[in-house]
Amino acid sequence: RNNNTDKIISSCLTISIISSILFSTIFILGLKFWSPKLLFTLGNMKNILIFMIATTAISVSTLIGAAFTAGRRSSFWMIKDSIYHIVKILPLIFFVNFGAMGIISSLIVGIFLSVTIGFILLFKTWKYIPRLTLDPIIKNMASFSAGNYIADIFNNLPKIKQSLENIIPENTEIQINKKVKDAVDFLMAYLPKE
């Protein structure tokens, strides 16, 4: 652990939260385009807030896990995620009557407990206290990380295309918006063939 660890974790945490809120908002605003059938689930402000909180909490949880791996404490990641996977099942009994939002609420209970345990372990291990800051130290990491994200998107495009074509048959209730299919086909046309 060096002197920059707290700055890096806090900056990544801040960027992760901002990105989660931004992309959740874009997803919700674009539901008519890519998933009109979800409009009824995310049709009110309460459900939108629950969705955005869940998305942000999952991003923070993933970041905490990455910090444990980078700090050679991957066993802590396993502890944190094991708690999440056990605890997310228990509240389902109480939330089952709320349908899809009940499932998301159950996930939120598990993820919040997992994130809380993660922050406690970060503090006990490295005396880390979360702060929402953007330190210039992450500028060097930004272009590398952006490149990895873009490469990951293109790496997953064939899987998305296969899901759209094979996993979801034409005669099911789930209909993928034609514009989404066309966008994936367009991107796939420019990828090298295997």
Side-chain angles (χ1 to χ4, degrees):
R1 175 177 153 92
N2 62 39
N3 296 333
N4 294 326
T5 303
D6 285 357
K7 293 176 185 177
I8 292 171
I9 294 173
S10 291
S11 295
C12 290
L13 182 68
T14 303
I15 290 171
S16 179
I17 290 170
I18 291 168
S19 298
S20 295
I21 293 169
L22 175 69
F23 288 112
S24 293
T25 303
I26 290 170
F27 175 77
I28 289 165
L29 292 175
L31 275 178
K32 287 180 185 175
F33 174 73
W34 39 68
S35 190
K37 297 226 180 212
L38 284 178
L39 282 172
F40 79 95
T41 303
L42 295 173
N44 64 52
M45 198 57 167
K46 183 181 105 184
N47 290 353
I48 288 171
L49 285 173
I50 289 171
F51 173 76
M52 292 177 84
I53 289 168
T55 304
T56 303
I58 290 169
S59 295
V60 169
S61 178
T62 302
L63 180 70
I64 291 171
F68 287 143
T69 300
R72 296 191 176 128
R73 304 283 182 160
S74 55
S75 61
F76 288 171
W77 190 349
M78 186 190 74
I79 291 167
K80 180 188 77 60
D81 275 7
S82 295
I83 290 168
Y84 165 64
H85 291 295
I86 292 168
V87 172
K88 73 180 179 184
I89 301 298
L90 300 175
L92 279 175
I93 298 165
F94 305 105
F95 296 135
V96 73
N97 292 331
F98 297 108
M101 291 314 294
I103 293 170
I104 291 175
S105 298
S106 181
L107 293 173
I108 288 175
V109 170
I111 204 73
F112 270 107
L113 184 60
S114 171
V115 166
T116 302
I117 297 293
F119 278 130
I120 290 168
L121 291 172
L122 279 172
F123 179 78
K124 287 190 177 266
T125 307
W126 297 305
K127 304 295 182 225
Y128 172 73
I129 298 172
R131 292 176 181 82
L132 294 179
T133 61
L134 285 175
D135 195 277
I137 194 165
I138 63 164
K139 282 185 181 176
N140 297 334
M141 299 172 8
S143 61
F144 177 76
S145 294
N148 279 339
Y149 284 125
I150 291 168
D152 192 47
I153 288 169
F154 282 108
N155 181 45
N156 285 313
L157 275 176
K159 296 173 200 165
I160 295 169
K161 182 176 168 90
Q162 181 183 7
S163 296
L164 293 174
E165 292 175 349
N166 300 327
I167 296 173
I168 302 172
E170 300 261 343
N171 58 357
T172 63
E173 284 186 32
I174 301 170
Q175 294 294 320
I176 302 300
N177 192 311
K178 183 170 176 7
K179 292 177 185 174
V180 174
K181 275 187 177 180
D182 291 346
V184 171
D185 287 340
F186 174 78
L187 291 170
M188 290 295 298
Y190 291 98
L191 291 177
K193 304 290 184 227
E194 292 183 44

